[in-house]
Amino acid sequence: MSSMLPVSTILGAAPPAEPRLLANVSYPLHGLLLVVAALLLVSLAMVLIRKAVRRFKVAEDHTGPLLVPASAGRLPPELVAVITAAVDEVLGPGGNIVAINSVGPEASGAELAWSREGRREHFASHKVR
Amino acid sequence: MNETLVELFRATGLGGITWSMAAMWAMAAALLYVGIVRRFHAILLVPLAFGALLANLPTRGGPEGDLIGFVAERLRLDLFLPLILLGVGLLTDFGPLLAAPRSFVIGAVAQIGLFATFALAATVGGFTPRESAAVGLVSGMDGPTALFVAVKLAPQLLAGVAFGVYAGQCLLPTIQPWLMRRLTTDVERRVRMKPLRTVSRLEKLAFALVMMIVGILLTPGGAPLIAMLMLGNFLRECGVGDRLLKSAYHEIVNVLAVLLGIGVGLTLTADRFLRPSTPGICLLGLLALVLSTVAGVFAAKLLNRTNPGNPFNPLIGGEGVSAMPAAACVAQRECQKADPANVILLHASGASVAGLLGTILAAGYFATTLP
């Protein structure tokens, strides 16, 4: 490891020589500021990296062909049958399906909703100590 | 005949038993009870209690180089603690933190308790600055980090710090809910948070590198901790070296947990533990936990004012202490009491890992500036 000066030293933070209140406050205060600064710096760096990744992905998407789902605007009949059977099983006979909508605007939205429900069920089934 | 019996008695360890040793046996029994009957942190508490029992039997001082001596020495040489953090890195998903970068603020603000405890310990508690740093780290309730600082800066307090950390972890599910209910309203506890976005692998890999570089540049003294944590996480996210990953994930981490438990238990000798400083360390640690929870909850409330469109459930604020995963589970349980269908577990774990990073940086600060 190199012998460069850490920022904490540059800031002038030094351990208190005597147990006096002021000295004992300024030293930990420097430490707290350093921790806050470090985490905010990392947070900022990650926001910038995310933006760069997004830009890169958008540029990549524009180079490829556009994908159009085969069943856009119309659900395949087997999917309707599966959903009907599931509703009948859970709610019993007599239920009406008025509409079938995707949970989220995108595939990721639906995925998140299912994950969320799974986590809720999983957590509700356990006693947390 | 009598002389032979006396010689035999002297040769056994029976003559070396003291009252303070018996008191430590009671403590080891209590730890075994908590670990086995209450099933709380059994993987750590059972070896720790066993080590404590071993340390307080008049059988020590045997030949150098035996297994017990080896374990105790490796703890002193900081071998287990960074390796345990490698395991923590392997088991930790930083995705929830990266999906909600506001959690970094919670993790940073929650360190107020740690630094306030340092100031109190040095000013009122009569501890030296190096000892105060070790006492302050108890607030993080993060075993490896607190022990790392104690081994480095105040080895004479290692027993008290170890006990303080694990006692704090046991008391956390009791203290935090009580505190959280008093700091938040029923409406605040019902706040539903937006689902977290999926974080790409590239972002997670970049985070491991950025965090390690920033951490080591700012607090070089904490390099063994932050480097091993991020190495473990990088191994987890990079998706190569499956064989190594599986071994590290199960066997290595479990073996290390047992060795660390025994190693810490061996430090709990009566002469080191039964000191006036031990209750002081525990009390200051608990005070720090309270301060960190209060600071975190108010920080979350403040964040809500800056961004009311995407509110923070203030219960998450209390999770800036790095006791993973207990703290996140406490927040989820309290949230579910107010609204059974509300799930904040992932958000809470994001704040919790931010707290872990904050505690490691604080440990690095002390290790750097208190030579």
Side-chain angles (χ1 to χ4, degrees), chain B residues 43 83-91 245-260:
Chain B
I43 192 169
L83 281 176
I84 280 279
L85 275 169
L86 175 85
V88 173
L90 281 163
L91 297 169
L245 191 62
K246 278 177 190 164
S247 306
Y249 210 85
H250 299 288
E251 289 79 9
I252 295 177
V253 170
N254 289 339
V255 168
L256 281 173
V258 171
L259 292 178
L260 179 68

Side-chain angles (χ1 to χ4, degrees), chain A residues 16-21 23-24, chain B residues 122-123 127:
Chain A
E18 294 172 29
R20 281 185 308 189
L21 184 65
N24 286 330
Chain B
T123 311
F127 292 97

Side-chain angles (χ1 to χ4, degrees), chain A residues 1 4-9 13-17 19-21 24-43 45-47 49-50 53-54 57 108 111-112 116 119-120 123-124 128-129, chain B residues 38-39 98 101 104-105 107-108 111-112 115 118-119 122-123 129 173 193 195-197 202-203 206-207 210-211 214 217-220 223 329 332-333 336 340-343 345-346 354 357-358 361-362 365-366 368-370:
Chain A
M1 188 179 295
M4 63 176 290
L5 278 176
V7 172
S8 46
T9 309
R20 281 185 308 189
L21 184 65
N24 286 330
V25 167
S26 66
Y27 172 71
L29 197 62
H30 281 120
L32 181 63
L33 288 176
L34 186 75
V35 171
V36 172
L39 289 180
L40 290 182
L41 189 65
V42 172
S43 169
M46 291 316 298
V47 169
I49 287 172
R50 190 191 164 200
V53 169
R54 250 196 208 165
K57 272 191 176 171
S108 62
E111 253 173 46
L112 284 173
R116 189 183 165 84
R119 275 196 298 273
R120 191 196 67 76
F123 201 81
V128 183
R129 277 178 298 194
Chain B
R38 306 297 298 266
R39 292 181 177 271
L98 298 175
F104 277 106
V105 178
Q111 305 313 317
I112 285 176
F115 287 107
F118 171 90
T123 311
M193 296 174 69
L196 294 171
R197 70 178 174 86
L202 184 60
E203 277 180 79
F207 170 73
V210 169
M211 187 66 229
V214 171
L217 282 179
L218 295 186
T219 56
C329 292
Q332 175 58 36
R333 188 177 57 180
Q336 248 176 345
N342 199 357
V343 179
L345 188 63
L346 274 185
L357 295 172
L361 287 169
Y365 172 74
F366 288 131
T368 306
T369 54
L370 294 170

Side-chain angles (χ1 to χ4, degrees), chain B residues 227-303:
Chain B
M228 294 307 276
L229 178 77
M230 288 306 150
L231 170 64
N233 195 251
F234 199 85
L235 279 174
R236 170 197 166 97
E237 302 297 347
C238 71
V240 295
D242 273 357
R243 201 181 60 183
L244 175 66
L245 191 62
K246 278 177 190 164
S247 306
Y249 210 85
H250 299 288
E251 289 79 9
I252 295 177
V253 170
N254 289 339
V255 168
L256 281 173
V258 171
L259 292 178
L260 179 68
I262 295 176
V264 172
L266 286 171
T267 66
L268 297 177
T269 51
D271 58 320
R272 286 183 191 166
F273 184 75
L274 299 176
R275 286 174 164 197
S277 62
T278 304
I281 293 170
C282 295
L283 279 176
L284 283 167
L286 289 178
L287 176 69
L289 172 66
V290 171
L291 288 174
S292 293
T293 306
V294 173
V297 169
F298 281 106
K301 288 187 181 194
L302 207 64
L303 281 172

Side-chain angles (χ1 to χ4, degrees), chain A residues 59-82:
Chain A
E60 207 176 41
D61 288 348
H62 281 298
T63 58
L66 281 174
L67 293 175
V68 181
S71 60
R74 209 180 129 198
L75 288 171
E78 55 270 31
L79 183 59
V80 176
V82 167

